[in-house]
Amino acid sequence: MKIIDDNLLNKVSSEAKDSPRLRMNYNFHQSLDEKCHRFLNAVEPGTKVEIHRHPKSFVLLRGRVRVNTYNDDGTVMESAVLCPEDGLYGVDIPQNVWHNVECLESGSVFFECKEGPFVPHKEEGVLRLQR
């Protein structure tokens, strides 16, 4: 059994702050080939999460993040700011819905669950917005 406590959240948050990507995962699954991936995702303000799509659910354990979903043309469909202190805990994003996450507060950590096995995003799996 792995306990999710302040010590673990602080450890993964510290690693995110030291990472060039300003985010860090802590995996509970043993292999990238597993059918269900369960992990902590610590994010810091300034991290860049590309708009992408795959089904997933996550629950914010601490901090504050904005979750956006998008139409195929890149316009925002929905936007929600999650913050456990405000009673807004998580989201479930269906398959084929474009989405991203923006960190609004240092030390934000969420527990994420998504379908495996891991497949790196291909060009068609990332939405490129027209600027």
Side-chain angles (χ1 to χ4, degrees):
M1 177 169 61
K2 294 187 181 182
I3 304 294
I4 301 170
D5 60 8
D6 283 337
N7 290 331
L8 181 56
L9 298 186
N10 291 340
K11 175 185 180 297
V12 73
S13 287
S14 176
E15 292 172 358
K17 288 176 185 170
D18 292 338
S19 167
R21 296 175 66 215
L22 296 174
R23 61 181 162 163
M24 185 60 61
N25 288 358
Y26 178 91
N27 294 342
F28 295 102
H29 52 280
Q30 299 300 307
S31 163
L32 294 179
D33 293 327
E34 287 187 28
K35 292 184 180 191
C36 181
H37 288 197
R38 302 154 335 274
F39 54 96
L40 298 177
N41 197 341
V43 293
E44 289 295 312
T47 188
K48 184 172 182 178
V49 179
E50 297 282 353
I51 300 170
H52 60 286
R53 60 182 170 187
H54 56 85
K56 76 174 181 181
S57 298
F58 71 82
V59 175
L60 188 64
L61 301 177
R62 72 175 184 195
R64 183 181 298 267
V65 299
R66 180 186 322 280
V67 181
N68 298 308
T69 59
Y70 299 86
N71 290 309
D72 286 340
D73 65 4
T75 57
V76 175
M77 289 185 343
E78 292 181 279
S79 183
V81 174
L82 304 179
C83 177
E85 292 177 358
D86 295 340
L88 298 167
Y89 301 102
V91 295
D92 181 70
I93 300 173
Q95 190 166 350
N96 294 322
V97 173
W98 296 107
H99 62 277
N100 75 339
V101 176
E102 175 188 358
C103 179
L104 303 175
E105 184 177 296
S106 183
S108 296
V109 181
F110 50 91
F111 176 84
E112 186 170 341
C113 185
K114 66 182 181 180
E115 184 179 9
F118 174 74
V119 177
H121 294 303
K122 300 176 189 166
E123 187 65 28
E124 65 270 11
V126 176
L127 182 61
R128 302 289 179 206
L129 300 178
Q130 301 298 322
R131 302 258 185 231

